[in-house]
Amino acid sequence: MGMKRIAVLASGRGSNFQAIIDRVCDGTIPAEFACLITDNPSAYAIKRAEKHDISVSVVSFSDYPDRESYNQALEKAMQESGADLFVLAGYMRLLKPETVRGFAGKMINIHPALLPSFSGLHAQQQALDYGVKIAGCTVHFVDEGMDTGLIILQYPVVVLSDDTEESLAARIMEFEHLSLPLAVKLFCEDRLEVSGRTVIIHDHQDE
Ligand code: GAR
């Protein structure tokens, strides 16, 4: 089986994208990059891609007259990438159900909360506002709902009494940078198997 190709979708800073780049470059993740797709022409993620000669597709919402044409352009960019796996790494736009269906089982997302708690935006602040003692992050397959797809990996992070959104987000981020590359690696090594709502992780790849 050939090496898998991964496309990353990111809207901003792209530190999770960088974590994947680092693990591809050091050989931990057996894959090559198809491209970066971003909705934000000034995303710092673009600089990270350029530094590593990863091609960039900018599909900016404001370049299209309506959501429909924007979505068609996004789907086209995704199809043309020829990627086996699409990684949402801080991609801040909801994908339309049709798009998600078209790439079912090939799209994963990182979310800075222990799902199903605190889906959507500002998950870390939501966790603080709720008063939970354990926060964390989740990597999951993307389905048609918002942050409702099958869970691949989760890591807990203890909430401290003096945490702010920034301090908690920073500690969660350390685990995001471990878990997202690990999930990408497991996918690329064909070690994920879906059974009902459970994603089974196989220890070794069948040779
Ligand atoms: C990350 O914390 C990611 O979990 C979050 O956005 C941040 C992107 O940071 N994603 C979501 O909240 C998705 N709803 P990055 O651009 O440095 O990777």
Side-chain angles (χ1 to χ4, degrees), residues 5 13 31 37 44-45 49 51 58 62 64 78 84 100 113 131 144 160 166 200 205:
R5 288 165 59 75
R13 179 178 47 177
I37 298 174
Y44 188 70
K51 205 166 168 184
V58 179
S62 56
Y64 298 91
M78 289 174 72
D84 302 293
V100 171
E144 292 167 37
L160 305 177
E166 291 70 34
I200 298 166
Q205 191 180 357

CSV table of all heavy atoms in Angstrom, one decimal, residues 5 13 31 37 44-45 49 51 58 62 64 78 84 100 113 131 144 160 166 200 205:
chain,number,residue,atom,x,y,z
A,5,ARG,N,-1.6,10.5,1.5
A,5,ARG,CA,-1.5,11.9,1.3
A,5,ARG,C,-2.5,12.6,2.1
A,5,ARG,O,-3.7,12.3,2.2
A,5,ARG,CB,-1.7,12.2,-0.2
A,5,ARG,CG,-0.6,11.8,-1.1
A,5,ARG,CD,-1.0,11.8,-2.6
A,5,ARG,NE,-1.4,13.1,-3.1
A,5,ARG,CZ,-0.6,14.1,-3.4
A,5,ARG,NH1,0.7,13.9,-3.2
A,5,ARG,NH2,-1.0,15.3,-3.8
A,13,ARG,N,-3.5,30.4,13.1
A,13,ARG,CA,-2.1,30.3,13.5
A,13,ARG,C,-1.5,29.0,13.0
A,13,ARG,O,-0.3,29.0,12.6
A,13,ARG,CB,-2.1,30.3,15.1
A,13,ARG,CG,-0.8,30.2,15.7
A,13,ARG,CD,-1.0,30.3,17.2
A,13,ARG,NE,-2.1,29.4,17.7
A,13,ARG,CZ,-2.4,29.3,18.9
A,13,ARG,NH1,-1.8,29.9,19.9
A,13,ARG,NH2,-3.5,28.5,19.3
A,31,ALA,N,3.5,9.6,5.8
A,31,ALA,CA,2.6,10.3,4.9
A,31,ALA,C,3.3,11.4,4.2
A,31,ALA,O,4.3,11.9,4.6
A,31,ALA,CB,1.3,10.8,5.6
A,37,ILE,N,-5.3,23.8,2.9
A,37,ILE,CA,-6.4,24.5,2.4
A,37,ILE,C,-6.8,25.5,3.5
A,37,ILE,O,-7.0,25.1,4.6
A,37,ILE,CB,-7.6,23.6,2.0
A,37,ILE,CG1,-7.2,22.6,0.9
A,37,ILE,CG2,-8.9,24.4,1.6
A,37,ILE,CD1,-8.3,21.6,0.6
A,44,TYR,N,-1.5,32.5,9.4
A,44,TYR,CA,-0.1,32.2,9.6
A,44,TYR,C,0.3,30.8,9.1
A,44,TYR,O,1.4,30.5,8.7
A,44,TYR,CB,0.3,32.4,11.1
A,44,TYR,CG,1.8,32.3,11.3
A,44,TYR,CD1,2.6,33.3,10.8
A,44,TYR,CD2,2.4,31.2,11.9
A,44,TYR,CE1,4.0,33.2,10.9
A,44,TYR,CE2,3.8,31.1,12.0
A,44,TYR,CZ,4.6,32.1,11.6
A,44,TYR,OH,5.9,32.0,11.7
A,45,ALA,N,-0.7,30.0,9.1
A,45,ALA,CA,-0.6,28.6,8.6
A,45,ALA,C,0.0,28.6,7.2
A,45,ALA,O,0.8,27.7,6.8
A,45,ALA,CB,-1.9,27.8,8.6
A,49,ALA,N,3.3,26.5,5.7
A,49,ALA,CA,3.2,25.6,4.5
A,49,ALA,C,4.3,26.0,3.5
A,49,ALA,O,5.1,25.1,3.0
A,49,ALA,CB,1.9,25.7,3.8
A,51,LYS,N,7.1,27.4,4.0
A,51,LYS,CA,8.5,27.1,4.5
A,51,LYS,C,8.8,25.6,4.2
A,51,LYS,O,10.0,25.2,4.1
A,51,LYS,CB,8.4,27.3,6.0
A,51,LYS,CG,9.8,27.5,6.7
A,51,LYS,CD,9.6,28.1,8.1
A,51,LYS,CE,10.9,28.0,8.8
A,51,LYS,NZ,10.8,28.5,10.2
A,58,VAL,N,-6.1,28.8,-1.2
A,58,VAL,CA,-6.9,29.7,-0.4
A,58,VAL,C,-8.3,29.7,-1.0
A,58,VAL,O,-8.5,30.0,-2.2
A,58,VAL,CB,-6.3,31.1,-0.4
A,58,VAL,CG1,-7.2,32.1,0.4
A,58,VAL,CG2,-4.9,31.1,0.1
A,62,SER,N,-15.1,35.4,1.4
A,62,SER,CA,-15.4,36.7,0.8
A,62,SER,C,-15.2,36.8,-0.7
A,62,SER,O,-15.6,37.7,-1.3
A,62,SER,CB,-14.6,37.8,1.6
A,62,SER,OG,-13.3,37.5,1.5
A,64,TYR,N,-16.5,34.7,-2.7
A,64,TYR,CA,-17.7,34.1,-3.4
A,64,TYR,C,-19.0,34.8,-3.0
A,64,TYR,O,-19.1,35.3,-1.9
A,64,TYR,CB,-17.7,32.6,-3.0
A,64,TYR,CG,-16.5,31.9,-3.4
A,64,TYR,CD1,-15.4,31.8,-2.6
A,64,TYR,CD2,-16.4,31.4,-4.7
A,64,TYR,CE1,-14.2,31.2,-3.1
A,64,TYR,CE2,-15.2,30.8,-5.2
A,64,TYR,CZ,-14.1,30.7,-4.3
A,64,TYR,OH,-13.0,30.2,-4.8
A,78,MET,N,-10.7,20.4,-2.3
A,78,MET,CA,-10.5,19.1,-1.6
A,78,MET,C,-10.4,17.9,-2.5
A,78,MET,O,-9.5,17.1,-2.4
A,78,MET,CB,-11.7,18.9,-0.6
A,78,MET,CG,-11.7,19.9,0.6
A,78,MET,SD,-13.1,19.8,1.7
A,78,MET,CE,-12.8,18.2,2.5
A,84,ASP,N,-5.9,11.4,0.8
A,84,ASP,CA,-6.6,10.3,1.5
A,84,ASP,C,-7.2,10.7,2.8
A,84,ASP,O,-8.1,10.0,3.3
A,84,ASP,CB,-5.6,9.2,1.7
A,84,ASP,CG,-4.9,8.8,0.4
A,84,ASP,OD1,-5.6,8.2,-0.4
A,84,ASP,OD2,-3.7,9.0,0.3
A,100,VAL,N,-19.4,16.9,4.0
A,100,VAL,CA,-18.9,15.9,5.0
A,100,VAL,C,-19.2,14.5,4.5
A,100,VAL,O,-18.4,13.6,4.5
A,100,VAL,CB,-19.6,16.2,6.3
A,100,VAL,CG1,-19.4,15.1,7.3
A,100,VAL,CG2,-19.1,17.5,6.9
A,113,ALA,N,-11.8,20.4,23.9
A,113,ALA,CA,-12.6,20.0,25.0
A,113,ALA,C,-12.8,18.5,25.0
A,113,ALA,O,-12.5,17.8,24.0
A,113,ALA,CB,-14.0,20.7,24.9
A,131,GLY,N,-17.4,25.3,35.3
A,131,GLY,CA,-16.8,24.9,36.5
A,131,GLY,C,-16.2,23.5,36.6
A,131,GLY,O,-16.1,22.9,37.7
A,144,GLU,N,-21.9,14.8,10.2
A,144,GLU,CA,-22.6,16.0,9.8
A,144,GLU,C,-23.0,16.9,10.9
A,144,GLU,O,-23.4,18.1,10.7
A,144,GLU,CB,-23.9,15.5,9.1
A,144,GLU,CG,-23.5,14.8,7.7
A,144,GLU,CD,-24.7,14.0,7.2
A,144,GLU,OE1,-25.8,14.5,7.3
A,144,GLU,OE2,-24.4,13.0,6.6
A,160,LEU,N,-7.0,24.2,36.9
A,160,LEU,CA,-6.5,24.8,38.1
A,160,LEU,C,-7.4,26.0,38.6
A,160,LEU,O,-8.0,26.6,37.7
A,160,LEU,CB,-5.0,25.3,37.9
A,160,LEU,CG,-4.0,24.3,37.3
A,160,LEU,CD1,-2.7,24.9,37.1
A,160,LEU,CD2,-3.9,23.1,38.3
A,166,GLU,N,-6.8,31.7,28.6
A,166,GLU,CA,-5.5,31.6,28.0
A,166,GLU,C,-4.6,30.5,28.6
A,166,GLU,O,-4.0,29.7,27.9
A,166,GLU,CB,-4.7,32.9,28.0
A,166,GLU,CG,-5.3,34.0,27.2
A,166,GLU,CD,-6.7,34.6,27.7
A,166,GLU,OE1,-6.8,34.6,29.0
A,166,GLU,OE2,-7.5,34.9,26.9
A,200,ILE,N,-11.8,1.6,17.3
A,200,ILE,CA,-10.9,0.6,17.9
A,200,ILE,C,-9.5,1.0,17.3
A,200,ILE,O,-9.4,1.2,16.1
A,200,ILE,CB,-11.2,-0.8,17.5
A,200,ILE,CG1,-12.6,-1.2,18.1
A,200,ILE,CG2,-10.2,-1.8,18.0
A,200,ILE,CD1,-13.2,-2.4,17.5
A,205,GLN,N,0.0,-2.8,12.7
A,205,GLN,CA,-0.5,-2.9,11.3
A,205,GLN,C,-0.3,-4.3,10.8
A,205,GLN,O,0.7,-5.0,11.0
A,205,GLN,CB,0.3,-2.0,10.4
A,205,GLN,CG,-0.3,-1.7,9.1
A,205,GLN,CD,0.6,-0.8,8.3
A,205,GLN,OE1,1.6,-0.3,8.8
A,205,GLN,NE2,0.2,-0.5,7.1
